[in-house]
Amino acid sequence: MQINEQQSKAEYIPFGKSAPLFLIKEVGLNDLNQPIQNEFYTCLLIKNGKGINNSDLTRYNFSAVQMYFYTPYQLFEFNSDNAIEGVAVQFHSDFFCLEKHGKELQCNGVLFNNAYGEPFFDLNDEDFRDIERTILALENELKLGGVALEEALLAYLKLFLVAAVRIKLKNKKVSSNTEIISPIVNKFEKLVELHFKEIHSPSKYAEMLGMSLKSLNNICSKNYKKTTLQLIQDRLIIETKRELYLTNSSVKEIAYTLGFSDIQYFNRMFKKKTSLSPGAYRKQLGIFR
């Protein structure tokens, strides 16, 4: 499902391409109140409205002013009894390779592909003005066009992503100063990062932490709004997407590298999360396609 193309404010279609690789759109309730999955990295600025957000089947309360960030084929929707007003900035991996440039900007793992964090953050008045300023610069560049348009758009997009990273990290720092974070949470995340390729069993992580699986699930539910299994699978999906995009390893080889002996189970897990088989995902986005 695409966000309504009729409300596109500006878009960039390179010579020889039939579809845009970068676009900015006004969005409202009719655009967001149904499940959305597409081939773009999506940055949503919610300027007005409140209700329920579903991100990968995890439920959050949303209210303006907030920003949301989604990777290609990540499932999301916004439900509200009132109007929603927002702006979507979307880009294809052919336009900006997050795996290549996202690390230097710190957006990969902070804004996108963060299995442990919420997909959104709040903006105060100053943050909102900063984000609006960068979006306006992108819009103006798209409208002006001209020489070296793609290079100019990439430069402004990087500024936009850096501004978002700074705001999210600032908010996280303030939050950590006012909330007591359980040491178990930090230890659990470190264990998953170390062992997610070979250990998929939630009970194994509970055992390593010296607690029951029920207790670990309660901690995960409280801190992440996900079960232990969902968190492990989300981390595996992030790594699978990376392998499918950046390498030409076969799906079977990727599954084996990530600790799966049952290729069918691996395919089902991936399709459940993305609505695409691993092979179809690579055909849409893989760098070697």
Side-chain angles (χ1 to χ4, degrees), residues 124-139:
N124 60 30
D125 290 343
E126 182 181 356
D127 297 335
F128 177 60
R129 287 193 295 270
D130 288 344
I131 291 296
E132 273 213 317
R133 191 180 301 116
T134 57
I135 292 176
L136 182 60
L138 283 163
E139 289 176 4

Side-chain angles (χ1 to χ4, degrees), residues 121-180:
F121 57 83
D122 299 324
L123 289 84
N124 60 30
D125 290 343
E126 182 181 356
D127 297 335
F128 177 60
R129 287 193 295 270
D130 288 344
I131 291 296
E132 273 213 317
R133 191 180 301 116
T134 57
I135 292 176
L136 182 60
L138 283 163
E139 289 176 4
N140 288 338
E141 195 61 41
L142 279 167
K143 290 173 184 176
L144 288 172
V147 177
L149 173 60
E150 183 168 330
E151 287 74 12
L153 287 174
L154 283 168
Y156 282 120
L157 177 60
K158 287 180 180 181
L159 288 173
F160 168 75
L161 294 172
V162 167
V165 167
R166 287 175 176 172
I167 294 168
K168 185 167 186 179
L169 291 178
K170 178 188 68 176
N171 287 0
K172 184 178 179 181
K173 185 176 180 181
V174 171
S175 176
S176 65
N177 287 335
T178 56
E179 298 178 7
I180 299 174

Side-chain angles (χ1 to χ4, degrees), residues 43-60:
C43 316
L44 276 175
L45 172 62
I46 303 296
K47 298 193 286 186
N48 284 297
K50 62 179 181 179
I52 302 298
N53 163 254
N54 290 300
S55 299
D56 285 334
L57 306 180
T58 301
R59 180 185 173 104
Y60 303 98

Side-chain angles (χ1 to χ4, degrees), residues 56-281:
D56 285 334
L57 306 180
T58 301
R59 180 185 173 104
Y60 303 98
N61 293 318
F62 82 88
S63 61
V65 177
Q66 290 180 322
M67 287 209 72
Y68 288 76
F69 293 83
Y70 298 104
T71 57
Y73 297 102
Q74 189 173 356
L75 179 67
F76 64 92
E77 67 176 309
F78 291 77
N79 296 307
S80 174
D81 294 330
N82 304 300
I84 299 175
E85 180 186 357
V87 177
V89 176
Q90 296 182 291
F91 59 92
H92 195 279
S93 57
D94 286 348
F95 179 74
F96 180 76
C97 179
L98 199 73
E99 294 293 345
K100 288 183 178 180
H101 306 294
K103 189 175 181 180
E104 66 192 46
L105 303 179
Q106 296 187 49
C107 59
N108 197 13
V110 175
L111 303 179
F112 305 100
N113 292 322
N114 184 349
Y116 314 105
E118 296 170 327
F120 65 90
F121 57 83
D122 299 324
L123 289 84
N124 60 30
D125 290 343
E126 182 181 356
D127 297 335
F128 177 60
R129 287 193 295 270
D130 288 344
I131 291 296
E132 273 213 317
R133 191 180 301 116
T134 57
I135 292 176
L136 182 60
L138 283 163
E139 289 176 4
N140 288 338
E141 195 61 41
L142 279 167
K143 290 173 184 176
L144 288 172
V147 177
L149 173 60
E150 183 168 330
E151 287 74 12
L153 287 174
L154 283 168
Y156 282 120
L157 177 60
K158 287 180 180 181
L159 288 173
F160 168 75
L161 294 172
V162 167
V165 167
R166 287 175 176 172
I167 294 168
K168 185 167 186 179
L169 291 178
K170 178 188 68 176
N171 287 0
K172 184 178 179 181
K173 185 176 180 181
V174 171
S175 176
S176 65
N177 287 335
T178 56
E179 298 178 7
I180 299 174
I181 306 299
S182 168
I184 294 294
V185 170
N186 291 327
K187 193 172 181 181
F188 171 69
E189 290 181 9
K190 289 177 181 177
L191 285 172
V192 173
E193 288 303 307
L194 283 171
H195 302 293
F196 73 90
K197 291 183 180 180
E198 66 267 12
I199 299 177
H200 303 167
S201 168
S203 60
K204 290 289 186 182
Y205 288 98
E207 183 180 331
M208 287 189 284
L209 291 166
M211 61 173 56
S212 68
L213 178 56
K214 182 179 179 180
S215 296
L216 181 56
N217 274 328
N218 287 338
I219 288 172
C220 289
S221 178
K222 180 179 179 181
N223 288 276
Y224 309 108
K225 296 188 177 181
K226 300 176 183 179
T227 66
T228 310
L229 180 59
Q230 284 175 317
L231 283 162
I232 297 166
Q233 289 183 340
D234 285 351
R235 185 63 186 89
L236 287 163
I237 291 295
I238 288 170
E239 195 66 18
T240 301
K241 286 180 175 180
R242 180 181 177 279
E243 290 291 317
L244 290 169
Y245 177 68
L246 285 179
T247 77
N248 57 5
S249 299
S250 70
V251 172
K252 187 175 182 179
E253 287 171 334
I254 293 170
Y256 180 78
T257 300
L258 294 178
F260 290 90
S261 57
D262 186 342
I263 186 67
Q264 297 304 320
Y265 175 78
F266 173 75
N267 286 336
R268 286 196 301 271
M269 183 194 74
F270 188 85
K271 190 169 184 178
K272 182 179 178 181
K273 289 284 186 178
T274 66
S275 296
L276 293 174
S277 69
Y281 183 90

